[in-house]
Amino acid sequence: MTAETLTVRGACPHDCPDTCALITTVDNGVAIKVHGNPEHRHTDGVLCTKVSRYAERTHHAERLLTPMRRTGPKGSGRFEPISWDEALDTIATRLGGIASRDPQAVLPYSYAGTMGLVQGESMAARFFHRLGASLLDRTICAAAGGEGLVQTLGAKVGMKVEHFARAKLIVIWGSNSIGSNLHFWKLAQQAKRDGARLVCIDPRRTETAEKCHEHIALRPGTDAALALALMHQLITNGWLDHDYIRDHTLGFEALRERALQWPPERAAAVCDVPVQQIIDLARAYGTTKPAAIRLNYGMQRVRGGGNAVRAVACLPALVGAWRHAAGGVLLSSSGQFPVERAALQRPDLLAGRQPRTINMSTIGDDLLREASPAFGPKIEAVVVYNSNPVAVAPESGKVVRGFARDDLFTVVLEHFRTDTADHADILLPATTQLEHWDIHTSYGHTDVLLNRPAIAPVGQSRTNTDVFRALARRMGFTEPCFDDDDETLCRQAFRPDVIDFQQLLDQGFATLKMPDAPYANGGFPTPSGRCEFFSARLQAQGLDGLPDHLPNHEPAGSSAAYPLAMISPPARNFLNSSFVNVQSLRDIEGEPVLEMHPADASSRGIGDGDMVRVFNDRGEYRCRVKVGARARRGVVNGLGIWWRKLGPDGTNVNEVTSQRLTDLGRGPTFYDCLVEVARAGEAA
Ligand code: SF4
């Protein structure tokens, strides 16, 4: 290393609960290494394999370096470089023309390509609010579970992750923690060494399930049935904390009646698991203290996902687990952070207008809709940032058709030429996390992290904020908020009495002040202040006030043509569609894979390593089959999310997933999907 070498503190921007603290080593303006900050207790100096390769991703030979204009048909990926002035002028002219007729015909489309509060929804939200564009319902990952938590605990809150290390029973529900919550897994391992029992509930026999004492491989979409049967056993065996229930919950008698309809035998038939497994788990949960549940979002990607999260979130209050720091449930901690969203996003710029809302999970249908009184104007322009909908949105045959519309003006801010970028009219090179300021909350711990730029923007790339600032100027938006720079935006994210910004500047992170056992004495952020087994708010919407099991839209066994249930969890070395183009990670994954149980494979004449067609009425894709124990019988696991153009036939697993929505939160139902599988040829 040279005298020019320096290290810069930052934060991992990716959609992962761990929100690690990064240290980037920079040599002569080039990021040469990214490692975990050992001073940040949650990171503890360790990053996952994916982000350990961040320098490779940042200085990747295929980084977009200049603005570009499409020269070939949509999807062809043929572009020519243009100047920033030409790109921004073109965008401002096109958006201005559309907005002069109806600004709602412009749609922003973004998600968690960065979780940063500044490069996510700050200047971008201000711009679209000022324009009066359609609002986007950002549902694609966590909407059903988030709503389930809000209706039960009052917000996306739960136990503090660090205390899992002291639990005596840990139920890992719908999470492959080794792949997607690595730092929690370290805590679970510590608890295991100290004698804790680990139980994994997941249709797939994941790396995590293999390492737990017990694996309950239920059918996809049956988690609420299992949770209700656990309640049944807690009630009938008297494993309840009556004082906690009396003092800190709402609706126990009604929940009791509901749960008594779910003896273990009924749930065992629905979940297709042994009755004894349910009875044993209930006994363990009812009699072990402290007991902790790490819930993750996989299980809520089905029709009844919101109810399932509600059912699981009721369990800790029944046994009084919240009394202990190491007891309770954690799905997300994001609701603990008092983010000043209105200051960042400035909804006041709507100035009384109430644009329609488009659900990002139905973008395939919505891009193909004509104008109507119910829908409003046809979507004429989409501005995509921090997202890759052509690869990740469900029922991608329709998504591709929508983005291929010749009359749609599409702008994409990206690092790479993704499947979505290939459909852009104007493609803008965006900075990565190593090149910009940002500030981060977490959904897996309770620290705020600051991200400082470590290197100058690569090529001509610009920050998202800079792009929207420049567009605002061209559109004649003169409000002073469009002059805020990125450090100013970072400072606006929290009130000074909540987070000391100087501490963030000095050490890179700051911890929220909150008690170790936040709900030991109730005080849930619900309207009643109690854990709401019964939700009057849901009832007021005409919904069931109690949690229940809602069968999938596409229940296993309901279709002779499509007898296999499919889930599509992430391949271990990818994070949704991020990292698929990092060669060293793609080399580990090899190619798109479908995991299949030996009995399902042999009955179809399929051998391990064969190419297969996975299909239903929505579409089909081809991939390599791995026959083995990772898949339970009747369920196939289509690992995602490959870029379409890097998979066989230019398709991916979302060819077969559905746009139907969840019970709560209007979320997608990726894991509620019936398919058939057949051998296929090697060539396209
Ligand atoms: S993806 Fe998750 S585990 Fe990996 S570095 Fe980022 S926050 Fe940490």
Side-chain angles (χ1 to χ4, degrees), residues 15 111 140-141 301 387-394 396 418-420 566-581 586 589 591-593 621 638-647 651-655 657 670-671:
D15 189 358
Y111 198 64
I140 204 153
C141 178
R301 296 192 177 119
S387 187
N388 181 11
V390 171
V392 306
S396 49
T418 61
D419 294 323
T420 306
M566 190 191 80
I567 59 173
S568 42
R572 183 169 172 182
N573 290 285
F574 302 154
L575 205 163
N576 299 327
S577 74
S578 300
F579 299 100
V580 180
N581 62 323
R586 195 160 81 241
E589 292 297 333
E591 60 187 326
V593 159
Y621 79 107
L639 304 186
I641 302 176
W642 280 77
W643 289 12
R644 291 167 61 86
K645 60 183 166 188
L646 297 177
T651 56
N652 74 11
V653 66
N654 281 319
E655 282 288 315
T657 55
F670 289 107
Y671 298 0

Side-chain angles (χ1 to χ4, degrees), residues 392-433:
V392 306
E395 202 174 355
S396 49
K398 287 187 175 174
V399 182
V400 171
R401 270 172 48 213
F403 274 99
R405 272 176 42 202
D406 278 330
D407 63 341
L408 181 74
F409 177 63
T410 302
V411 179
V412 178
L413 287 66
E414 250 304 348
H415 303 142
F416 297 105
R417 210 177 286 175
T418 61
D419 294 323
T420 306
D422 282 347
H423 290 78
D425 291 283
I426 301 289
L427 180 53
L428 302 177
T431 47
T432 70
Q433 187 77 345

